[in-house]
Amino acid sequence: MKARRAGRWNGIPYVLLAVLTLLVCWLFVWRYGVFGAKVDWISQHSVFPDYFRQQFYETGELFPEFAGNIGGGQNIYNFAYYGLYNPVILISYLLPFVKMGDYLMAAGVAEIIISLWLIYYWLIKRNFSKEISLSMAVLFLLAGPVIYQSYHQVMFINYMPFLCMAFLGVDRYFEKGRRGLYTVSVFLMILSSFYFSIGGMLALVLYGISRYLELRESQKQSPGSAVWHFLKDGMSFLIPMLTAVLMSGVLLVPTAFAILGGREGSGMTDIGSLFIPDVQILQLAYSSYGIGLTTLIFTVLITGFTYRKWSERVLTYGCVLLFVLPVFSWLLNGGLYVRSKALIPFLPLLCYMMAAYLEKQRNREISFRINVTAYSLTLLLCYEHYRGQELAGEPLKWYLILADGILMLVSFLIFWRWRRVCILIIPSVACLFLYGSIVHRAYGEVMDYETYRQITDEETGKRIAEILDGEAGFYRVEQIGSEEEKAANLNRIWDVRQWISSVYSSAYHVDYQELRKDVFGVEEPFRNDLMQAASENPLFQKLMGVKYVVEGQRVYENEYAAPIAYATDKVIPQKDYDQLSFPYNQTALMQYAVVRNSRGQTKQWEEGAEIRTEHLMDECHIQEKKKTGVKYPVSGKEKERILYMQFRVKNNRPGQDVAVWVNGIRNKLSARGHIYYNGNTVFTYVTRLKEGQSDVEIVYGNGDYEISDIECYLSDSSVLEDADVLKSGEGNWEKLYQSEFQVNREQTKGNRIQGDIQVKNTGYFITSIPYDTGFEILVDGKRTAGEKVNTAFLGFSIAEGKHQIEIIYHAPGVRLGWTMTGLGILLLAITLIYQCNLEKKQKLNNS
């Protein structure tokens, strides 16, 4: 490319890009609601950062290790993906008066604008024309994931400013030998989104190879003449990247330990199929979960095979291999599944390649024959995919892809006559604008202003704070409501003293998840298996110590709630408990604690339990086009009862969801093809029946499905009481919650739980905090070994008497992570000192 004379800095394009971003965001999103989505944004990406900030205000620690408030209490690195050390979120710590949701909306738009500025500046620095540089920035803005993911799954796109800055850093590395910008940019990218930083670093490596070959070509050196020099220089190029990875150790290492403990995938993958080439148009075009450009990118890649310079061809070869072989998408997604979301970091690099292509067209470096062939092959590719996919879903998208291919071929023919690059650019801009206008409204996922206001209304937080002010014990406070409210509040914490049992995260505590799904069969109202909502099962609420439930303006107090921590000698061994089936596996936990070894006698308890079989409904085959409610009579209306119901569901239309409501509680089996298929083929319901209630309404959702293996039981509500049970061999009666732990609120914060307990009988200290090897337990200052109790929770043996208890959580991998971070900082310091000394010597030699 010919060098252009650098003129005075012109701020007009930057202002134009900022204004255009605001205008497009209004057209696509703001006129329908806030810059936030109804599911992941409101329940994860805006809530976890707020929780991190609250913890910082409470403890003053920038590096927390435990999230005691969420999911029963878990390793905070289970949630690191949502911005634990994101530099943009850390800035919000300085703004306690700004609601986190509002801050993230503004930050999302600002990140888009800054990314556009950096792309424009980068391309101008690479000597592309203003017209081409500006048009590539606009295409980046309109690309499928940029605006869409900025208000959906923020981590898909929020690293872009730092990735764009890293491309500038790579240029600076090759042009001036300076590594600082390159290193810092990669470091910040990792902190922003470690998941997508892997793809970002791979894109930087491809670009780095191209720049290296470009320099060798300018020096008239053959790319194949010095393999040793290429490897040596390549290692030198990777040192800044390695330094950034080491500096990020305090995030990466503990997160890796957490992810190895629990992460959701989509099942087994056929390894052999990963190496079979597979061209997927939606990886690159018209997708909010892919790169999301137009069919012009296929033309650019096809044309790239005809380029003469290795520095240009290597980008084409590298990108085509990455996009065509599924193994790369699989690896970039951590070996979980093959999804094109992991390719989003290649968007800036493809914009660069498109700019180079348009520059070649401007300079008439591509022949008519090559052009016609490339555009024709693109159209053929679009047509073949259109034929195979038109009826498979989203037909409008496939019509647009086919129309785009035709339009681009026609545009090229016009361009060849008039030679104006804008003729090739305008159709792509128009098609992406049309796509964006449709997709953001069609999905209906933008959260409306009123719903956002209600969900984030600080009056709810004040109400919960008042509850906690008046509660001296150690219990949980949760929110329920409509399905939309439940989804929004899965991880929402209003006060650092508020603990909840629900959680929605891609990494999680495995044993706790199994307890919810396999032991209690907690209702799953959502199609996403990871969305573990606040349960309405009164037995589960009791076990988890949910004493207060907030629903709108109303607050319900659960008089039966167990303390989060207590001491007891009423135990049964795990091996006996494992023999119990539904519903006794739930009711047993209302009267006994389960430990690895004990002499408890389960049989005595079973015989004394007042649970009887109830015939409520028969097996049936449901074929409904809309929801249908049926009322079934139930016995014992003279008193309050607990209904236990379980049945198997066979979905005869696996392509759609199945939902069934019992007494207002929904269970859902998601469509088999859903990426987070919940596998909820056995619907379990445990619900209260009010005194005088003579029937139960079961609502069958639309679909074609069969209900079989029905089990139905009734008991009175006394099962929820801390009932006295026979103390084996002594002939007297004892309660389960014999000694309640008295929490010290001043000392219980961050990764520490502290308080006192007066133990009545030598036995076990039982909690409803999920067990983890990272817990350090001190009883009167002496270390005590923890063990798993009640199948999933932390417990330990304890003697009679008064004791001071300290439970401190240490996230696995933190020490190793800090060691890596220290090495990274040391390596950066050595590199900068060496670079500074080298520049001084060069200046002395030049003088």
Side-chain angles (χ1 to χ4, degrees):
M1 287 170 283
K2 296 179 181 180
R4 305 181 191 278
R5 188 175 66 182
R8 183 182 301 174
W9 182 82
N10 184 1
I12 294 177
Y14 298 95
V15 173
L16 180 62
L17 288 171
V19 172
L20 183 62
T21 300
L22 296 174
L23 177 61
V24 172
C25 286
W26 180 82
L27 287 170
F28 289 176
V29 185
W30 285 332
R31 59 177 173 156
Y32 305 120
V34 301
F35 200 71
K38 293 179 180 178
V39 183
D40 289 350
W41 185 86
I42 193 64
S43 61
Q44 289 181 309
H45 297 276
S46 67
V47 180
F48 278 117
D50 186 55
Y51 175 62
F52 300 150
R53 185 170 68 169
Q54 286 187 59
Q55 268 224 9
F56 171 73
Y57 292 154
E58 178 71 9
T59 66
E61 297 178 0
L62 271 175
F63 305 98
E65 298 183 51
F66 187 56
N69 308 77
I70 300 175
Q74 302 191 17
N75 184 341
I76 203 167
Y77 287 94
N78 281 344
F79 316 131
Y81 172 75
Y82 304 100
L84 182 59
Y85 300 140
N86 184 325
V88 176
I89 291 173
L90 291 178
I91 293 172
S92 74
Y93 290 14
L94 303 173
L95 306 169
F97 49 86
V98 178
K99 190 185 295 184
M100 181 59 75
D102 296 344
Y103 174 83
L104 289 177
M105 286 186 238
V109 177
E111 285 167 347
I112 296 173
I113 293 173
I114 293 170
S115 298
L116 298 184
W117 286 350
L118 289 170
I119 285 176
Y120 176 77
Y121 180 72
W122 173 38
L123 296 179
I124 288 291
K125 291 277 287 184
R126 289 307 319 275
N127 294 315
F128 292 108
S129 70
K130 290 183 179 179
E131 178 186 18
I132 291 176
S133 301
L134 192 61
S135 65
M136 289 305 101
V138 173
L139 283 182
F140 178 91
L141 168 65
L142 297 174
V146 173
I147 293 178
Y148 184 87
Q149 297 301 352
S150 291
Y151 70 92
H152 276 77
Q153 289 150 321
V154 177
M155 306 311 160
F156 284 26
I157 207 75
N158 69 343
Y159 55 88
M160 276 297 176
F162 305 117
L163 175 57
C164 295
M165 194 163 67
F167 282 109
L168 286 165
V170 170
D171 287 340
R172 195 175 187 187
Y173 171 85
F174 283 107
E175 293 166 4
K176 299 182 179 181
R178 296 182 178 178
R179 303 181 177 189
L181 180 61
Y182 174 23
T183 305
V184 171
S185 299
V186 174
F187 171 65
L188 294 175
M189 177 176 66
I190 294 171
L191 293 186
S192 298
S193 185
F194 62 83
Y195 189 100
F196 288 89
S197 67
I198 302 171
M201 287 187 279
L202 186 53
L204 291 171
V205 168
L206 270 179
Y207 181 67
I209 294 172
S210 173
R211 287 303 322 263
Y212 177 78
L213 294 176
E214 183 182 333
L215 290 175
R216 292 184 63 85
E217 288 165 353
S218 67
Q219 299 167 1
K220 307 297 183 183
Q221 296 178 353
S222 170
S225 63
V227 175
W228 167 247
H229 286 292
F230 175 78
L231 294 176
K232 180 172 71 69
D233 293 340
M235 289 302 297
S236 178
F237 174 77
L238 291 177
I239 286 176
M241 196 173 287
L242 175 62
T243 301
V245 172
L246 287 173
M247 290 169 61
S248 309
V250 70
L251 169 67
L252 297 179
V253 177
T255 300
F257 275 84
I259 289 175
L260 290 173
R263 180 66 168 90
E264 178 69 15
S266 59
M268 297 296 293
T269 301
D270 180 6
I271 301 299
S273 66
L274 297 175
F275 295 91
I276 300 174
D278 183 19
V279 179
Q280 292 290 332
I281 279 187
L282 294 184
Q283 283 188 337
L284 297 178
Y286 298 107
S287 173
S288 300
Y289 288 85
I291 292 171
L293 290 169
T294 66
T295 63
L296 179 60
I297 191 58
F298 295 103
T299 307
V300 170
L301 291 172
I302 293 170
T303 306
F305 285 101
T306 68
Y307 293 167
R308 295 180 181 179
K309 294 181 180 180
W310 272 100
S311 60
E312 298 170 334
R313 291 163 67 182
V314 72
L315 291 178
T316 299
Y317 295 159
C319 287
V320 169
L321 281 174
L322 284 166
F323 301 152
V324 169
L325 291 180
V327 66
F328 291 107
S329 290
W330 182 72
L331 290 172
L332 291 174
N333 280 297
L336 297 171
Y337 36 57
V338 177
R339 293 183 67 188
S340 58
K341 68 176 185 179
L343 302 176
I344 294 175
F346 290 89
L347 176 57
L349 183 62
L350 291 179
C351 288
Y352 169 82
M353 294 172 67
M354 293 172 74
Y357 166 82
L358 292 172
E359 191 71 20
K360 285 180 177 295
Q361 292 285 26
R362 177 194 296 277
N363 297 328
R364 302 192 179 190
E365 296 179 24
I366 305 173
S367 69
F368 180 82
R369 178 175 59 84
I370 291 175
N371 271 309
V372 169
T373 301
Y375 280 102
S376 298
L377 288 174
T378 299
L379 180 57
L380 180 62
L381 180 67
C382 294
Y383 178 69
E384 286 299 317
H385 277 75
Y386 166 80
R387 271 201 322 177
Q389 301 291 336
E390 181 186 359
L391 300 179
E394 298 188 275
L396 287 176
K397 182 181 293 187
W398 290 103
Y399 295 150
L400 182 57
I401 288 173
L402 184 60
D404 178 8
I406 296 171
L407 180 61
M408 288 308 303
L409 177 58
V410 173
S411 297
F412 162 71
L413 296 175
I414 298 173
F415 161 78
W416 197 257
R417 170 67 178 82
W418 298 102
R419 293 291 181 175
R420 296 294 301 272
V421 173
C422 64
I423 297 173
L424 295 176
I425 296 171
I426 291 174
S428 287
V429 171
C431 287
L432 281 181
F433 184 83
L434 177 62
Y435 171 73
S437 300
I438 295 172
V439 73
H440 293 275
R441 184 176 183 181
Y443 290 166
E445 295 172 353
V446 178
M447 173 158 284
D448 64 89
Y449 292 99
E450 182 58 25
T451 301
Y452 174 71
R453 187 196 63 78
Q454 290 177 356
I455 289 173
T456 61
D457 186 358
E458 294 182 357
E459 288 300 316
T460 303
K462 292 177 182 178
R463 192 172 303 115
I464 288 175
E466 289 174 0
I467 293 170
L468 294 166
D469 288 340
E471 176 56 61
F474 196 19
Y475 298 94
R476 291 186 169 91
V477 182
E478 297 192 328
Q479 287 181 261
I480 61 172
S482 66
E483 302 302 337
E484 186 176 42
E485 290 171 328
K486 278 187 177 181
N489 294 318
L490 287 164
N491 302 305
R492 191 172 304 278
I493 299 297
W494 289 99
D495 188 296
V496 288
R497 298 170 297 171
Q498 179 192 1
W499 287 39
I500 61 176
S501 65
S502 59
V503 63
Y504 175 24
S505 172
S506 53
Y508 49 81
H509 191 286
V510 172
D511 289 334
Y512 181 61
Q513 183 91 334
E514 289 180 355
L515 172 92
R516 290 181 61 101
K517 293 174 67 67
D518 300 334
V519 177
F520 273 85
V522 170
E523 69 271 16
E524 296 197 42
F526 306 110
R527 65 196 311 247
N528 188 333
D529 185 42
L530 301 178
M531 299 175 71
Q532 295 295 311
S535 176
E536 296 186 47
N537 178 338
L539 277 67
F540 185 78
Q541 288 180 339
K542 177 184 176 181
L543 178 76
M544 294 304 298
V546 180
K547 187 172 183 178
Y548 301 98
V549 176
V550 178
E551 183 178 13
Q553 301 295 320
R554 292 172 292 183
V555 177
Y556 301 97
E557 182 175 351
N558 179 10
E559 60 181 310
Y560 302 119
I564 292 177
Y566 61 92
T568 187
D569 67 349
K570 307 312 301 173
V571 295
I572 55 174
Q574 183 74 49
K575 60 182 179 63
D576 288 349
Y577 177 79
D578 290 341
Q579 304 303 312
L580 299 176
S581 59
F582 175 80
Y584 298 102
N585 62 342
Q586 297 189 27
T587 56
L589 291 172
M590 303 299 101
Q591 298 180 2
Y592 290 92
V594 178
V595 298
R596 285 181 297 186
N597 298 297
S598 101
R599 296 181 179 179
Q601 296 184 17
T602 310
K603 185 178 180 182
Q604 275 189 332
W605 174 85
E606 284 189 275
E607 289 178 348
E610 296 182 5
I611 299 177
R612 65 181 185 275
T613 303
E614 178 83 1
H615 181 79
L616 191 67
M617 57 179 289
D618 297 314
E619 296 185 355
C620 54
H621 183 183
I622 305 297
Q623 292 177 298
E624 297 288 348
K625 294 183 179 180
K626 61 180 181 179
K627 288 170 60 175
T628 303
V630 180
K631 291 185 177 181
Y632 296 91
V634 62
S635 61
K637 68 177 182 177
E638 64 280 357
K639 57 184 177 179
E640 185 180 58
R641 294 137 294 158
I642 306 294
L643 172 69
Y644 312 84
M645 191 171 187
Q646 190 174 83
F647 51 79
R648 185 170 298 277
V649 176
K650 179 184 177 183
N651 189 0
N652 294 326
R653 294 178 185 169
Q656 70 179 55
D657 298 347
V658 167
V660 177
W661 291 256
V662 174
N663 206 35
I665 298 173
R666 180 173 76 175
N667 256 305
K668 176 173 280 193
L669 171 62
S670 54
R672 193 66 183 87
H674 190 261
I675 190 65
Y676 294 117
Y677 171 68
N678 65 11
N680 187 29
T681 56
V682 177
F683 287 8
T684 302
Y685 305 85
V686 180
T687 180
R688 290 190 188 209
L689 302 181
K690 299 176 182 178
E691 182 179 343
Q693 184 174 342
S694 60
D695 54 47
V696 174
E697 183 178 35
I698 298 181
V699 178
Y700 301 102
N702 65 299
D704 182 348
Y705 50 96
E706 299 172 33
I707 293 176
S708 61
D709 300 337
I710 301 169
E711 293 183 69
C712 189
Y713 306 89
L714 276 178
S715 76
D716 59 39
S717 61
S718 64
V719 72
L720 295 172
E721 299 173 2
D722 187 8
D724 292 327
V725 293
L726 183 65
K727 190 171 184 180
S728 177
E730 296 185 12
N732 61 335
W733 299 81
E734 287 283 355
K735 293 180 179 293
L736 173 60
Y737 312 121
Q738 297 164 5
S739 310
E740 184 173 344
F741 174 66
Q742 302 299 315
V743 66
N744 184 325
R745 290 288 184 185
E746 294 298 319
Q747 298 297 324
T748 299
K749 59 180 67 176
N751 66 334
R752 179 183 296 270
I753 301 168
Q754 189 169 323
D756 301 306
I757 188 168
Q758 179 70 52
V759 180
K760 183 178 180 181
N761 301 311
T762 296
Y764 284 85
F765 188 92
I766 306 294
T767 77
S768 54
I769 301 168
Y771 173 81
D772 193 301
T773 56
F775 283 110
E776 177 187 6
I777 302 165
L778 301 175
V779 179
D780 300 322
K782 297 180 181 179
R783 289 194 177 184
T784 300
E787 64 178 82
K788 193 183 297 183
V789 299
N790 284 349
T791 77
F793 300 111
L794 176 69
F796 51 89
S797 59
I798 194 167
E800 179 182 346
K802 186 174 182 178
H803 302 285
Q804 183 181 54
I805 308 295
E806 290 181 75
I807 301 174
I808 307 165
Y809 185 77
H810 305 287
V814 167
R815 289 185 179 180
L816 177 59
W818 273 115
T819 302
M820 281 182 57
T821 295
L823 289 174
I825 294 173
L826 179 62
L827 184 57
L828 176 63
I830 293 172
T831 300
L832 294 178
I833 292 170
Y834 172 78
Q835 180 180 300
C836 185
N837 290 334
L838 184 63
E839 289 179 356
K840 285 181 180 179
K841 288 181 181 180
Q842 289 175 345
K843 286 181 180 179
L844 288 174
N845 293 333
N846 292 335
S847 61

